Amino acid sequence: MPLNNLRNIGIAAHIDAGKTTTTERLLFFTGVNRKVGETHDGQSTMDFMKQEQERGITIASAAISCSWNGTQINIIDTPGHVDFTVEVERSLRVIDGMVALFCAVGGVEPQSETVWNQAERYKVPRIAFVNKIDRTGADYHDVIKQMNDNLDARAVAFQIPVGQEDEFKGIIDLMNCKLYTFNEAETIVSEIPEEFRTQARDFKAQLVERLADFNEEILELFLEDKEVPGELLKRAAREATLKLLITPVFCGAAYKNKGITQLLDAIVDYLPSPVDKGAVVGMDVDDHEKARHRNPSPKEPFAALAFKLIHDPYVGQQTFVRVYSGSLRSGMQLMNSTKGKPERIGRILKIRAKDREEVSEAGPGDIVALIGLKYTKTGDTLCDMEQQLHLESIHIPPSVIELKINPASRKDQSKLGEALSKLVNEDPSFHARFDEETEETIISGMGELHLEIIVDRLKHEFGLDVVVGEPAVAFRETISQEVEVEYRHSKQTGGKGQFAQTQIRIEPNEGKGYEFIDKIKGGAIPGEYIPSVNKGILKTLADGVLAGFPVVDVKVVLLDGQFHPVDSSDFAFQTCASICFKQGFMKANPLLLEPVMKIEINTPDEYIGDITGNLTKRRGRIESMRRHRKGSQKLNGFVPLQEMFGYATTLRNLSSGRANYSMEFYQYMPVSKAIQEEALKKIAEKKRQEGK
């Protein structure tokens, strides 16, 4: 199939906008499914994980292929819940175009904004589908206004509904000047009735006027008040969409099969093929300033990005990759340029949600699962052995919430370790570590639901009975002033002793993570022991100094040191550097950092006072309030995560169940001295209790 006839698209939106239902309808109308699966009865094709079916939500983005009018469409269905935002992130990194779904009643909701901003980051062209036009409270034109006001979406109506709520009768297509009405799965095309012609003409004029801004030919015809040919209009609309100048808006009711075939036409007409996206740009492996381009052609050197890992009980680990250039064949050897290690390709699978089909090769634009990769993780680049490059990786937000878990039976400890290792491989926003001191396993993730699903998977997928503690905030540690410190490590035992001496400077390094700089002169510490110093510090960063939380944003400069020709060793320098860093850290005015969340609350006007008052009590800071719908407000602000446990119940009580909210990680910020002291006291008390 020519590359022009391929679309790699994502479907993304706020939770409950109807993403999975819409995808099921797309699969039904393209002939992939003979019957329609529903989210609410746990029968959908895309939500095939047990946890998804039980909760009626999408957790893991699933890939599936279908075709429409000679065009192959690879669809990646993504979650709407903020705890699984990394799933959306990695999908957006590898797709070419996106369908942004909005609920005609809810409009632009908190997660809609998050998804939109993620798509902006990766410059993904998109069209919008306003779903649930037949629901009570639906307002298509207000949703378009919200898209422009809140998202700066440059949204333009390409269709208008005939009636809304239970009066929804059909859709007027402004491009073709036709009316679509629906009889179950059948679309009936007719002329626009007399009573709707004026409205259709006005909206069509707005559409032509917008496109005239980007196209000289249309501008001329528009100024001369002449009819613009349909083909010219469609071509201009496609170009403007691909350049992110407009967002075409379509409408329908997916659950009732209304507007789905028109949405498929729009995906083919307005979203990009790999050819439209053009060359992917990577970095030279040796010189990061130098760009490397790969055109979407099977003749170019191979380049692909791994964006997802799944552990499959039947075939083992599947690594999902998006191929950008070159050809991929079974048995081929490639370079993982991120890890600097060669990989041999075993089997190549095309995925149809939970079903798979083995293929012998894949080319540009393909999204396939590979079996047999040993080193490749999410965000890694796979490329030609001779002509290497690094593709832009995937942004992974930090984990913000922790949970202590233990196997119910001690004999399952190693089994738990293996299961967690597989889950960590699959999900880069999930972390697990074993605390030697308390002999407990600590898992951390993006939110309470995220960890709840992980625990659920441990029980059902891996057959592990685990005892779970209370969720706690994942603090970080850092410093606020610069210090120099020196330490001599000298131990004499019966045989060979241990000797190492290091002098380091520790500096705050806000927002830049950890940096290690070697300024040793004249061989005061031999070159072979410099990595040992770094290794000793790195281990200390992971274990924490102040209260056992990871240390972030510090720069360590190695200034001087001494060694002994016999007693110095890798271990001695690691130990010395670790103790030296700990001593310096405690002198550099250490701080606890807490995760601060961006919060958005939608509430009817009458509860705004109680809600803002309660948020202020929780150390929240309100940034803005704006009208959401008639009689309701949208409140934005920032609030520390540790004040937000149990907030869902509080908000329900404050608003008689009528307000809703969404939170996402914003950044780590220092806590006040009083809160730091209180937190440290609690942690020390907890450790004392656990040590008994």
Side-chain angles (χ1 to χ4, degrees):
M1 179 180 287
L3 272 180
N4 283 323
N5 291 358
L6 177 62
R7 302 286 181 273
N8 283 317
I9 67 156
I11 297 183
H14 186 85
I15 193 164
D16 279 345
K19 290 178 308 302
T20 303
T21 303
T22 303
T23 308
E24 292 297 324
R25 297 309 185 273
L26 295 175
L27 298 178
F28 174 70
F29 280 99
T30 53
V32 173
N33 286 352
R34 292 206 180 141
K35 71 180 191 70
V36 173
E38 301 296 1
T39 315
H40 58 78
D41 60 14
Q43 294 300 308
S44 76
T45 310
M46 301 300 273
D47 287 348
F48 55 86
M49 282 169 64
K50 177 180 179 293
Q51 291 79 10
E52 294 177 313
Q53 291 170 353
E54 282 174 358
R55 289 170 175 78
I57 60 170
T58 306
I59 294 162
S61 56
I64 195 162
S65 290
C66 59
S67 65
W68 182 249
N69 293 344
T71 297
Q72 183 186 325
I73 302 170
N74 294 330
I75 303 171
I76 296 183
D77 183 40
T78 57
H81 197 284
V82 72
D83 280 16
F84 308 102
T85 194
V86 75
E87 287 286 343
V88 185
E89 190 80 37
R90 54 178 162 196
S91 300
L92 285 170
R93 173 65 188 83
V94 296
I95 58 178
D96 297 328
M98 180 174 111
V99 178
L101 231 71
F102 296 92
C103 170
V105 182
V108 174
E109 296 180 274
Q111 191 64 4
S112 321
E113 294 198 32
T114 304
V115 169
W116 195 268
N117 293 335
Q118 287 171 309
E120 287 284 314
R121 180 188 295 140
Y122 294 120
K123 296 187 170 50
V124 179
R126 61 215 87 133
I127 60 175
F129 182 70
V130 179
N131 192 22
K132 305 186 181 183
I133 290 284
D134 57 342
R135 289 280 180 92
T136 304
D139 190 338
Y140 176 68
H141 300 293
D142 188 54
V143 175
I144 294 178
K145 185 178 183 303
Q146 286 182 46
M147 285 175 69
N148 287 324
D149 291 349
N150 303 344
L151 306 176
D152 191 22
R154 299 173 290 283
V156 188
F158 274 46
Q159 294 176 339
I160 52 171
V162 174
Q164 292 184 95
E165 302 182 328
D166 53 6
E167 295 291 306
F168 177 48
K169 301 281 190 300
I171 297 165
I172 291 172
D173 186 296
L174 300 173
M175 275 289 188
N176 302 321
C177 296
K178 296 287 182 197
L179 171 70
Y180 300 130
T181 49
F182 307 94
N183 178 17
E184 294 190 354
E186 185 192 355
T187 301
I188 298 139
V189 185
S190 58
E191 295 303 316
I192 299 170
E194 187 65 46
E195 69 262 37
F196 299 115
R197 277 185 197 161
T198 306
Q199 187 192 13
R201 199 164 44 241
D202 291 346
F203 276 98
K204 172 83 177 257
Q206 286 176 29
L207 171 57
V208 174
E209 193 177 342
R210 284 298 295 275
L211 293 175
D213 291 343
F214 317 117
N215 186 287
E216 291 290 328
E217 285 179 75
I218 295 176
L219 181 61
E220 259 177 60
L221 293 166
F222 180 74
L223 293 173
E224 291 168 14
D225 210 15
K226 287 182 181 171
E227 186 70 29
V228 181
E231 270 312 302
L232 171 58
L233 213 52
K234 192 178 273 189
R235 191 173 73 243
R238 179 176 176 77
E239 282 170 12
T241 307
L242 299 189
K243 289 176 180 168
L244 308 181
L245 298 170
I246 62 166
T247 304
V249 186
F250 304 87
C251 60
Y255 183 59
K256 299 273 177 65
N257 301 320
K258 294 177 179 178
I260 298 301
T261 55
Q262 292 71 40
L263 177 59
L264 281 162
D265 288 338
I267 288 166
V268 172
D269 290 343
Y270 304 113
L271 289 181
S273 70
V275 175
D276 296 315
K277 290 292 277 189
V280 66
V281 181
M283 288 184 311
D284 188 280
V285 173
D286 300 316
D287 179 0
H288 287 188
E289 298 299 310
K290 199 185 283 183
R292 288 268 176 258
H293 294 76
R294 293 282 187 272
N295 290 304
S297 159
K299 291 175 182 161
E300 290 263 319
F302 184 79
L305 186 80
F307 69 96
K308 187 177 176 67
L309 270 70
I310 289 180
H311 180 76
D312 186 294
Y314 302 106
V315 296
Q317 186 174 288
Q318 296 179 12
T319 307
F320 282 77
V321 301
R322 157 73 197 259
V323 181
Y324 287 98
S325 64
S327 289
L328 181 66
R329 288 176 300 281
S330 302
M332 195 172 170
Q333 193 171 43
L334 296 171
M335 176 57 78
N336 177 330
S337 60
T338 312
K339 299 279 193 304
K341 293 190 171 179
E343 289 272 31
R344 189 166 293 283
I345 306 303
R347 294 157 64 203
I348 304 171
L349 304 176
K350 284 242 169 125
I351 303 297
R352 183 191 170 281
K354 62 184 169 185
D355 300 325
R356 53 185 98 71
E357 171 201 346
E358 191 162 343
V359 292
S360 56
E361 61 180 322
D366 282 339
I367 290 174
V368 291
L370 305 180
I371 311 293
L373 300 189
K374 289 181 181 172
Y375 310 108
T376 304
K377 300 276 184 287
T378 296
D380 287 2
T381 300
L382 289 169
C383 58
D384 186 273
M385 295 293 287
E386 304 305 319
Q387 300 195 51
Q388 295 182 30
L389 82 166
H390 284 309
L391 297 173
E392 182 192 351
S393 191
I394 293 167
H395 170 73
I396 309 293
S399 52
V400 292
I401 195 162
E402 292 187 340
L403 206 57
K404 287 182 176 173
I405 62 166
N406 285 305
S409 163
R410 283 188 79 88
K411 68 177 190 317
D412 284 339
Q413 189 67 55
S414 65
K415 197 176 166 189
L416 175 65
E418 285 168 26
L420 289 173
S421 166
K422 282 172 184 165
L423 293 171
V424 166
N425 266 346
E426 278 185 24
D427 181 353
S429 65
F430 171 65
H431 305 277
R433 62 191 168 88
F434 185 70
D435 188 326
E436 303 282 351
E437 209 177 311
T438 61
E439 294 193 340
E440 286 180 311
T441 300
I442 298 160
I443 59 173
S444 54
M446 299 298 298
E448 290 180 80
L449 179 63
H450 187 194
L451 296 185
E452 187 189 309
I453 300 285
I454 293 280
V455 170
D456 214 34
R457 288 185 68 190
L458 286 172
K459 287 178 179 172
H460 295 107
E461 232 170 273
F462 297 94
L464 276 163
D465 195 9
V466 288
V467 179
V468 181
E470 288 294 310
V473 163
F475 287 101
R476 296 287 185 268
E477 302 177 9
T478 193
I479 54 168
S480 57
Q481 66 189 55
E482 188 179 301
V483 294
E484 269 188 32
V485 63
E486 191 171 12
Y487 179 71
R488 174 184 288 226
H489 176 67
S490 179
K491 261 192 175 177
Q492 211 55 50
T493 49
K496 186 182 165 188
Q498 286 181 38
F499 180 87
Q501 185 169 325
T502 54
Q503 183 187 346
I504 60 174
R505 184 170 70 243
I506 307 176
E507 305 170 16
N509 200 28
E510 196 178 334
K512 292 179 185 167
Y514 168 65
E515 275 182 75
F516 176 76
I517 296 167
D518 167 25
K519 288 205 171 168
I520 290 291
K521 290 186 175 74
I525 297 176
E528 74 220 61
Y529 295 136
I530 305 291
S532 310
V533 173
N534 190 27
K535 213 187 283 180
I537 294 167
L538 278 168
K539 189 176 183 322
T540 312
L541 295 182
D543 295 342
V545 182
L546 192 62
F549 297 106
V551 174
V552 295
D553 295 347
V554 291
K555 183 192 280 187
V556 176
V557 184
L558 179 58
L559 301 167
D560 202 357
Q562 284 184 29
F563 76 104
H564 187 279
V566 177
D567 292 347
S568 285
S569 63
D570 167 53
F571 179 72
F573 270 100
Q574 278 195 54
T575 308
C576 177
S578 174
I579 297 168
C580 189
F581 179 80
K582 283 178 184 173
Q583 289 182 353
F585 187 90
M586 293 309 286
K587 289 175 185 169
N589 193 19
L591 300 173
L592 266 191
L593 302 174
E594 66 177 343
V596 172
M597 312 301 280
K598 189 176 170 187
I599 188 168
E600 185 166 294
I601 303 169
N602 294 334
T603 174
D605 292 343
E606 61 260 42
Y607 306 113
I608 200 88
D610 289 345
I611 287 169
T612 52
N614 181 265
L615 210 57
T616 307
K617 272 188 205 160
R618 293 171 184 263
R619 295 194 285 131
R621 175 166 59 84
I622 293 154
E623 194 186 45
S624 68
M625 276 189 245
R626 62 176 187 249
R627 187 192 77 83
H628 177 47
R629 279 287 174 91
K630 196 176 176 189
S632 76
Q633 302 263 356
K634 184 175 275 195
L635 184 151
N636 289 287
F638 302 97
V639 62
L641 176 62
Q642 68 166 337
E643 304 290 346
M644 296 303 284
F645 290 116
Y647 184 66
T649 308
T650 304
L651 186 65
R652 212 164 32 241
N653 294 338
L654 287 174
S655 67
S656 306
R658 291 172 63 200
N660 62 54
Y661 80 105
S662 168
M663 281 193 314
E664 64 175 302
F665 174 71
Y666 173 59
Q667 67 182 57
Y668 270 95
M669 295 174 87
V671 300
S672 69
K673 274 274 175 258
I675 290 170
Q676 178 162 319
E677 279 168 25
E678 193 186 324
L680 291 175
K681 209 181 284 178
K682 276 184 188 168
I683 290 158
E685 176 60 26
K686 214 171 190 183
K687 282 189 173 172
R688 196 177 63 76
Q689 294 290 340
E690 285 162 356
K692 278 184 178 178

